[in-house]
Amino acid sequence: LDRQVLARTVSSYAGQKLDSTYVNAQRPEYLTAVGEFLLNVAQHTPHGVLLFLPSYGMLSRIMAHWKQCGLWMRIQSVKALFYEESGKDITSNLALFKRTAASKGAIYIAVHRGKLSEGIDFDDTSARAVILLGIPLLPYNDPLVQAKMTYQKTERKAMTGHAWYRLQASRPINQSIGRCIKHKQDYG
């Protein structure tokens, strides 16, 4: 396993803290640092790279900022860029990504709990790196989330409401991490 997986935590890049709290993730400096980090990974990683974000809102902010400041084009000069669109069929885009990743290299920007984060294999050249940005927490003040947490607290003694809430964030992270290692010869 130590020859198949290299795992790292990156807490800052280019002098910017990569703290994905809601307030920090709005800052242009943060969005630029994420793009510069992705560019660096793309330059040093063969074939496919996957970037998972906590929400479609963050995906929209990142794309808009990168296009406005020129990072989108700089990244595309190294690898082709693909991104997940909410509610859209991914079949043809996914096939094109895999072909492009195998030939000249590609990056797919996706969302935790989205279509690409679960059930799709990115084996071999499809994903040599997986980057997870932020923690995909459920909306804490959502009435359904609050109801489930209350239920866990009052009816289910095996797990508290807060433990359930944390578990709901860790499951999609584990799913996203597992996208790249699909057989014993694979690596990422």
Side-chain angles (χ1 to χ4, degrees):
L1 188 62
D2 62 338
R3 291 183 180 166
Q4 285 181 281
V5 178
L6 173 65
R8 296 286 183 260
T9 301
V10 179
S11 59
S12 66
Y13 189 79
Q16 289 296 316
K17 192 173 179 183
L18 294 181
D19 175 353
S20 295
T21 59
Y22 180 79
V23 172
N24 198 47
Q26 309 301 311
R27 297 177 52 243
E29 300 85 1
Y30 168 84
L31 299 173
T32 299
V34 169
E36 294 287 351
F37 176 72
L38 180 61
L39 177 60
N40 189 328
V41 170
Q43 290 168 331
H44 295 95
T45 304
H47 307 296
V49 175
L50 305 175
L51 170 62
F52 286 99
L53 305 174
S55 68
Y56 287 104
M58 181 175 270
L59 174 59
S60 295
R61 277 192 306 281
I62 278 179
M63 285 177 49
H65 178 76
W66 291 354
K67 287 177 180 179
Q68 183 266 327
C69 73
L71 259 170
W72 188 265
M73 293 300 291
R74 287 177 55 212
I75 296 168
Q76 274 200 317
S77 72
V78 176
K79 289 190 188 294
L81 276 166
F82 294 78
Y83 61 94
E84 181 176 359
E85 295 181 77
S86 178
K88 299 271 179 135
D89 181 51
I90 60 169
T91 308
S92 62
N93 212 18
L94 181 60
L96 179 58
F97 166 78
K98 288 183 175 188
R99 285 192 308 275
T100 307
S103 61
K104 64 177 186 170
I107 298 168
Y108 215 127
I109 306 171
V111 175
H112 290 290
R113 293 188 187 91
K115 292 180 180 179
L116 294 174
S117 66
E118 298 182 26
I120 295 178
D121 292 343
F122 289 93
D123 55 350
D124 301 318
T125 58
S126 297
R128 292 299 184 209
V130 176
I131 302 166
L132 310 176
L133 185 64
I135 299 172
L137 295 168
L138 294 172
Y140 189 79
N141 292 321
D142 182 290
L144 293 175
V145 171
Q146 287 297 310
K148 179 63 175 175
M149 289 176 62
T150 301
Y151 172 77
Q152 287 296 133
K153 180 178 165 185
T154 58
E155 304 295 326
R156 307 280 309 237
K157 302 303 178 197
M159 182 184 300
T160 67
H162 288 288
W164 171 84
Y165 184 74
R166 287 189 302 273
L167 181 63
Q168 298 313 302
S170 65
R171 282 184 178 149
I173 288 172
N174 290 335
Q175 286 292 324
S176 298
I177 290 170
R179 295 304 91 211
C180 73
I181 305 295
K182 293 301 171 184
H183 55 80
K184 69 181 185 175
Q185 316 292 229
D186 213 352
Y187 64 91

